[in-house]
Amino acid sequence: DQQVKQNSPSLSVQEGRISILNCDYTNSMFDYFLWYKKYPAEGPTFLISISSIKDKNEDGRFTVFLNKSAKHLSLHIVPSQPGDSAVYFCAASEGNNAGNMLTFGGGTRLMVKP
Amino acid sequence: DADVTQTPRNRITKTGKRIMLECSQTKGHDRMYWYRQDPGLGLRLIYYSFDVKDINKGEISDGYSVSRQAQAKFSLSLESAIPNQTALYFCATSDWTGVLETQYFGPGTRLLVL
């Protein structure tokens, strides 16, 4: 079973509006969460992260919210721009556990229409 | 110049052939990783290495082997390729701060096994 799930394979949003990408996880030991963005023919690039001691982290137009009780995190992009069109992966790790390996969700393809 | 490079970028091979995918990095990171991406499954970890003398299996290591020739080089081999190894392969490096980890990905190698 996938420990990190992104249940929406795709999302379409109008330019200027808010994009909300969701991610659920099942492993209660996860305590560090990241979002990566991937353009075609490129590797994923780090976007934003959040530690489990926080419930919100903001970086410019990007905000990640963490709800530990619901084991849910979301990425908000406001305002959305056509250049934000990409595949977004959420990832989680067990902090100081050996390896700190990242477990990735399946990705959500965001399309921002002009 | 890119910090993490992968060669080749595209490869077509036949079932039973041995192939090697190469990864080089100029970031000076000790940690390196190999992932494969399949549609809807996100990125799954194949092998990882925390330094030149350290090699560890990931989630899906069967059918793969790796070699860490130097801090900057980490190669992935398919000893006898099979069609279900057709995927997009990514190499990544990370800067471990002792608390948090961010991974930096190469551009990927698209492999087709006929």
Side-chain angles (χ1 to χ4, degrees):
Chain A
D1 281 349
Q2 285 186 285
Q3 297 186 70
V4 179
K5 289 186 178 180
Q6 295 175 252
N7 291 318
S8 297
S10 65
L11 174 67
S12 183
V13 171
Q14 203 68 34
E15 180 179 6
R17 305 293 292 270
I18 184 172
S19 295
I20 300 176
L21 294 90
N22 294 303
C23 179
D24 296 294
Y25 61 96
T26 57
N27 186 345
S28 58
M29 299 300 292
F30 287 147
D31 59 1
Y32 180 47
F33 305 89
L34 307 89
W35 284 93
Y36 280 82
K37 178 169 70 173
K38 183 184 178 305
Y39 292 119
E42 296 182 10
T45 56
F46 170 73
L47 185 59
I48 192 169
S49 65
I50 187 167
S51 165
S52 60
I53 62 174
K54 295 185 175 182
D55 55 17
K56 176 183 174 181
N57 189 28
E58 189 172 352
D59 184 2
R61 297 185 296 113
F62 302 91
T63 303
V64 56
F65 294 92
L66 176 62
N67 182 334
K68 290 186 288 294
S69 61
K71 295 190 178 68
H72 176 84
L73 66 154
S74 60
L75 174 69
H76 292 210
I77 306 174
V78 182
S80 301
Q81 300 174 353
D84 296 328
S85 297
V87 177
Y88 290 78
F89 293 99
C90 73
S93 75
E94 295 186 28
N96 286 327
N97 194 29
N100 292 94
M101 290 177 290
L102 296 181
T103 301
F104 285 85
T108 296
R109 181 178 302 277
L110 173 65
M111 293 163 283
V112 180
K113 296 179 288 188
Chain B
D1 286 344
D3 295 318
V4 184
T5 58
Q6 292 183 233
T7 56
R9 292 295 311 276
N10 295 280
R11 179 73 184 269
I12 301 174
T13 191
K14 294 183 179 180
T15 297
K17 293 291 187 181
R18 181 182 188 276
I19 67 165
M20 179 182 288
L21 309 183
E22 299 190 0
C23 176
S24 295
Q25 54 116 345
T26 58
K27 299 185 77 68
H29 292 166
D30 286 327
R31 297 185 167 199
M32 297 188 74
Y33 306 80
W34 274 104
Y35 291 90
R36 65 178 277 175
Q37 182 192 355
D38 298 278
L41 295 179
L43 286 86
R44 293 183 292 165
L45 184 64
I46 306 172
Y47 270 95
Y48 63 100
S49 169
F50 284 173
D51 63 41
V52 175
K53 298 178 181 178
D54 178 80
I55 301 290
N56 303 281
K57 292 182 177 181
E59 178 187 356
I60 52 165
S61 59
D62 288 349
Y64 302 94
S65 63
V66 291
S67 174
R68 186 80 184 268
Q69 301 95 323
Q71 186 204 39
K73 295 186 181 296
F74 192 35
S75 300
L76 175 72
S77 294
L78 285 68
E79 298 301 325
S80 179
I82 56 177
N84 77 1
Q85 291 177 312
T86 293
L88 190 52
Y89 290 84
F90 289 103
C91 173
T93 72
S94 72
D95 53 347
W96 167 241
T97 66
V99 177
L100 302 175
E101 174 167 313
T102 300
Q103 294 187 10
Y104 301 87
F105 287 82
T109 294
R110 189 171 295 279
L111 175 65
L112 174 60
V113 182
L114 301 175

